[in-house]
Coordinates of all heavy atoms in Angstrom, one line a residue:
S115 N 15.3 0.4 -14.5 CA 14.0 0.9 -15.1 C 13.8 0.3 -16.5 O 12.8 -0.1 -16.9 CB 14.1 2.4 -15.3 OG 12.9 2.9 -15.9
V116 N 14.9 0.1 -17.2 CA 14.9 -0.6 -18.6 C 14.3 -2.0 -18.5 O 13.4 -2.4 -19.2 CB 16.2 -0.6 -19.3 CG1 16.2 -1.4 -20.6 CG2 16.6 0.8 -19.7
A117 N 14.8 -2.7 -17.5 CA 14.4 -4.1 -17.3 C 12.9 -4.2 -16.9 O 12.2 -5.0 -17.4 CB 15.2 -4.8 -16.2
F118 N 12.5 -3.3 -16.0 CA 11.1 -3.2 -15.5 C 10.2 -2.9 -16.7 O 9.3 -3.6 -16.9 CB 10.9 -2.2 -14.4 CG 9.6 -1.9 -14.0 CD1 8.9 -2.8 -13.3 CD2 9.0 -0.7 -14.2 CE1 7.5 -2.6 -12.9 CE2 7.7 -0.4 -13.8 CZ 7.0 -1.4 -13.2
H119 N 10.5 -1.9 -17.5 CA 9.6 -1.6 -18.6 C 9.6 -2.6 -19.6 O 8.5 -2.8 -20.2 CB 10.0 -0.2 -19.2 CG 9.5 0.9 -18.3 ND1 10.3 1.4 -17.3 CD2 8.4 1.6 -18.3 CE1 9.6 2.4 -16.6 NE2 8.5 2.5 -17.3
R120 N 10.7 -3.2 -19.9 CA 10.8 -4.4 -20.8 C 9.8 -5.5 -20.4 O 9.0 -6.1 -21.1 CB 12.1 -4.9 -21.1 CG 12.9 -4.1 -22.1 CD 14.1 -4.9 -22.6 NE 14.7 -4.2 -23.7 CZ 15.9 -3.8 -23.8 NH1 16.7 -4.0 -22.8 NH2 16.3 -3.2 -24.8
S121 N 9.8 -5.7 -19.0 CA 9.0 -6.8 -18.5 C 7.5 -6.5 -18.6 O 6.7 -7.4 -18.6 CB 9.4 -7.1 -17.1 OG 8.8 -6.1 -16.2
L122 N 7.2 -5.3 -18.7 CA 5.7 -4.8 -19.0 C 5.4 -4.7 -20.4 O 4.4 -4.3 -20.7 CB 5.6 -3.4 -18.3 CG 5.7 -3.4 -16.8 CD1 5.6 -1.9 -16.3 CD2 4.7 -4.2 -16.1
G123 N 6.3 -5.1 -21.3 CA 6.0 -5.2 -22.7 C 6.2 -3.9 -23.5 O 5.7 -3.7 -24.6
F124 N 7.0 -2.9 -22.9 CA 7.3 -1.7 -23.5 C 8.4 -1.9 -24.6 O 9.3 -2.7 -24.5 CB 7.8 -0.6 -22.6 CG 6.7 0.1 -21.8 CD1 6.1 -0.5 -20.7 CD2 6.2 1.3 -22.2 CE1 5.1 0.1 -19.9 CE2 5.2 2.0 -21.5 CZ 4.7 1.3 -20.4
D125 N 8.2 -1.2 -25.7 CA 9.3 -1.0 -26.7 C 10.3 0.0 -26.1 O 10.0 0.9 -25.4 CB 8.8 -0.4 -28.0 CG 7.9 -1.5 -28.7 OD1 8.1 -2.6 -28.7 OD2 6.9 -1.0 -29.4
V126 N 11.6 -0.4 -26.3 CA 12.7 0.5 -25.7 C 13.6 1.0 -26.9 O 14.0 0.2 -27.7 CB 13.5 -0.4 -24.7 CG1 14.7 0.5 -24.2 CG2 12.6 -1.0 -23.7
R127 N 13.9 2.3 -26.9 CA 14.8 2.9 -27.8 C 15.5 4.0 -27.1 O 15.1 4.6 -26.2 CB 14.1 3.4 -29.1 CG 13.2 4.6 -28.9 CD 12.6 5.1 -30.1 NE 11.7 6.2 -29.9 CZ 12.0 7.4 -29.8 NH1 13.3 7.8 -30.0 NH2 11.1 8.4 -29.5
V128 N 16.8 4.3 -27.6 CA 17.6 5.4 -27.2 C 17.2 6.6 -28.1 O 17.3 6.4 -29.4 CB 19.0 5.1 -27.2 CG1 19.9 6.4 -26.8 CG2 19.3 4.1 -26.2
A129 N 16.9 7.8 -27.6 CA 16.6 9.0 -28.3 C 17.8 9.9 -28.0 O 17.9 10.4 -27.0 CB 15.3 9.5 -27.9
Q130 N 18.5 10.2 -29.2 CA 19.6 11.2 -29.1 C 19.0 12.6 -28.8 O 18.0 13.0 -29.3 CB 20.4 11.2 -30.4 CG 20.9 9.9 -30.8 CD 22.1 9.5 -30.0 OE1 22.9 10.3 -29.6 NE2 22.1 8.2 -29.7
D131 N 19.7 13.3 -27.9 CA 19.4 14.7 -27.6 C 18.0 14.9 -27.1 O 17.4 16.0 -27.3 CB 19.7 15.6 -28.8 CG 21.2 15.6 -29.2 OD1 22.1 15.3 -28.4 OD2 21.4 15.7 -30.4
Y132 N 17.3 14.0 -26.5 CA 15.9 14.0 -26.2 C 15.6 15.2 -25.2 O 14.7 15.8 -25.3 CB 15.5 12.7 -25.5 CG 14.0 12.6 -25.2 CD1 13.1 12.1 -26.0 CD2 13.5 13.1 -24.0 CE1 11.8 12.0 -25.8 CE2 12.2 13.0 -23.7 CZ 11.3 12.5 -24.6 OH 10.0 12.4 -24.3
N133 N 16.5 15.4 -24.3 CA 16.4 16.4 -23.3 C 17.3 17.7 -23.6 O 17.7 18.3 -22.6 CB 16.5 15.9 -21.9 CG 15.8 16.8 -20.9 OD1 14.7 17.1 -21.1 ND2 16.4 16.9 -19.8
G134 N 17.8 17.8 -24.8 CA 18.7 18.9 -25.2 C 20.0 18.3 -25.7 O 20.2 17.1 -25.7
P135 N 20.9 19.1 -26.2 CA 22.2 18.6 -26.7 C 22.9 17.7 -25.8 O 23.2 18.2 -24.6 CB 22.9 19.9 -27.1 CG 21.8 20.9 -27.3 CD 20.8 20.6 -26.3
G136 N 23.2 16.6 -26.2 CA 24.0 15.6 -25.3 C 23.2 15.0 -24.3 O 23.7 14.3 -23.4
E137 N 21.9 15.2 -24.3 CA 21.1 14.6 -23.1 C 20.2 13.5 -23.7 O 19.0 13.7 -23.9 CB 20.2 15.8 -22.6 CG 21.0 16.9 -21.9 CD 21.5 16.5 -20.5 OE1 20.9 15.5 -19.9 OE2 22.5 17.0 -20.1
D138 N 20.9 12.5 -24.0 CA 20.1 11.3 -24.6 C 19.3 10.6 -23.5 O 19.6 10.7 -22.3 CB 21.1 10.1 -25.1 CG 22.0 10.8 -26.1 OD1 21.8 11.9 -26.7 OD2 23.1 10.1 -26.4
R139 N 18.2 10.0 -23.9 CA 17.3 9.3 -22.9 C 16.9 8.1 -23.5 O 16.7 7.8 -24.8 CB 16.0 10.2 -22.6 CG 16.3 11.5 -21.9 CD 16.8 11.2 -20.5 NE 17.0 12.4 -19.6 CZ 18.1 13.0 -19.6 NH1 19.2 12.7 -20.3 NH2 18.3 14.2 -18.8
V140 N 16.5 7.1 -22.7 CA 15.9 5.8 -23.1 C 14.4 6.1 -23.1 O 13.8 6.7 -22.0 CB 16.1 4.7 -22.1 CG1 15.4 3.4 -22.6 CG2 17.7 4.4 -22.1
V141 N 13.7 5.8 -24.2 CA 12.3 6.1 -24.3 C 11.5 4.8 -24.4 O 11.8 3.9 -25.2 CB 12.0 6.9 -25.6 CG1 10.4 7.1 -25.8 CG2 12.7 8.2 -25.6
F142 N 10.5 4.7 -23.5 CA 9.6 3.4 -23.5 C 8.3 3.8 -24.1 O 7.7 4.8 -23.8 CB 9.4 3.0 -22.0 CG 10.7 2.9 -21.2 CD1 10.9 3.8 -20.2 CD2 11.6 1.8 -21.5 CE1 12.1 3.6 -19.5 CE2 12.7 1.7 -20.7 CZ 13.0 2.5 -19.7
S143 N 7.8 2.9 -24.9 CA 6.4 3.1 -25.5 C 5.8 1.8 -25.6 O 6.3 0.8 -25.9 CB 6.5 3.9 -26.8 OG 7.3 3.2 -27.7
R144 N 4.4 1.9 -25.5 CA 3.6 0.7 -25.7 C 2.1 1.1 -26.0 O 1.6 2.1 -25.4 CB 3.6 -0.1 -24.3 CG 2.8 -1.4 -24.4 CD 2.8 -2.2 -23.0 NE 1.7 -1.5 -22.3 CZ 1.5 -1.8 -21.0 NH1 2.4 -2.5 -20.3 NH2 0.4 -1.3 -20.4
E145 N 1.6 0.5 -26.9 CA 0.2 0.6 -27.2 C -0.7 0.1 -26.1 O -0.3 -0.9 -25.5 CB -0.3 0.1 -28.5 CG 0.6 0.6 -29.8 CD 0.4 2.1 -30.1 OE1 -0.8 2.6 -30.0 OE2 1.3 2.8 -30.2

Side-chain angles (χ1 to χ4, degrees):
S115 180
V116 171
F118 172 67
H119 284 86
R120 275 197 171 121
S121 78
L122 294 175
F124 279 82
D125 293 325
V126 179
R127 70 177 176 87
V128 174
Q130 303 288 321
D131 300 328
Y132 185 91
N133 204 39
E137 296 288 332
D138 303 345
R139 293 293 183 267
V140 178
V141 178
F142 309 110
S143 58
R144 184 182 87 192
E145 299 300 312

